[in-house]
Structure formats: C-alpha cells, structure tokens
Amino acid sequence: AYCVVGGRHIQSVLNMIPSWWGVYLIEGSGEGSYEFRLIRRSSDNEAKKPSEIVKLLWKEEAKLLAINSLGIKLKSKYTKAHFYDFIVGNYDAESITPIVSQILLSRANWRTTQNTLL
C-alpha cells in the first residue's frame, strides 16, 4: 500500500501509518503540474489478518462473495459483520487477499469527481 501526501503533512503521516506502507510526496511544480517523489518503499505486511482484509469490502461486495463462493443462504437479518464473519471463517489471509484485491480493482465509478492530476 502507498500513501500520497503533501509536504505539510508528511511527518505526521510517517508517524501515523504502518511501517510497511510506502509514501509518496506530491509537490506542485508550477502551471498546474505535480511531481511525485518516493519517500519510503512499501513492503509486505507479515501480520495480515483476514478480518481486516475483508473490511475493505462494501456490504454488497461481501454479501456477493459470501453467497456466490460460500453458498450462504441469504437472510434479511444478516448485517455486513455477518458476511465478514462468513468470509473470515472460510479463508485465510493468503487466500482472501487476491480475491479482495480483484473486487477492489473491479470497482467502477466509485469516485464522483472527474478531476485528475495526470
């Protein structure tokens, strides 16, 4: 994982985020252009927890994963936490990570702004 941060916040972010996160500093270079400078490379998080990985999923994504891959029968009382529990009970960190990554990468139009830096 990487965090992109402006110069004003670099020190507080470095103190706040986990050591395995990489950090890029973004700086304006004039006329509306920006430069990204690598401050710290990311590394593997050796202490991955499936319970934290699945929390990256929205409720509908977790529900579909639980129903489609685990065959969970849907009950109206199920909450997001129920779906997370079903998933965590059937996957370890190594096997759930690529599944969650694929779901996150397949999200479309989840940001509302059309402005981009690049």
Side-chain angles (χ1 to χ4, degrees):
Y2 279 91
C3 181
V4 179
V5 63
R8 182 182 320 167
H9 303 290
I10 187 73
Q11 197 55 53
S12 60
V13 166
L14 286 170
N15 292 332
M16 185 183 326
I17 62 173
S19 61
W20 60 86
W21 281 41
V23 178
Y24 276 96
L25 176 64
I26 184 171
E27 297 176 302
S29 59
E31 306 248 351
S33 62
Y34 298 89
E35 290 183 9
F36 294 85
R37 185 165 45 113
L38 179 65
I39 302 299
R40 181 172 77 195
R41 292 193 183 282
S42 69
S43 62
D44 285 339
N45 173 3
E46 299 299 329
K48 291 179 193 169
K49 296 180 184 176
S51 59
E52 296 302 314
I53 295 168
V54 299
K55 288 180 183 175
L56 295 170
L57 299 176
W58 295 333
K59 180 181 180 181
E60 282 300 310
E61 295 165 336
K63 179 171 87 174
L64 288 173
L65 178 58
I67 291 169
N68 295 335
S69 69
L70 301 175
I72 302 299
K73 298 213 190 280
L74 186 62
K75 293 184 181 178
S76 60
K77 67 178 182 176
Y78 286 159
T79 65
K80 179 170 52 175
H82 284 108
F83 295 121
Y84 290 164
D85 288 343
F86 293 139
I87 295 165
V88 169
N90 288 278
Y91 291 97
D92 61 15
E94 189 173 326
S95 60
I96 194 61
T97 299
I99 295 169
V100 170
S101 294
Q102 187 58 44
I103 292 169
L104 296 177
L105 290 170
S106 69
R107 285 181 181 168
N109 300 320
W110 65 275
R111 291 205 176 223
T112 58
T113 175
Q114 295 298 317
N115 295 338
T116 59
L117 296 175
L118 303 176

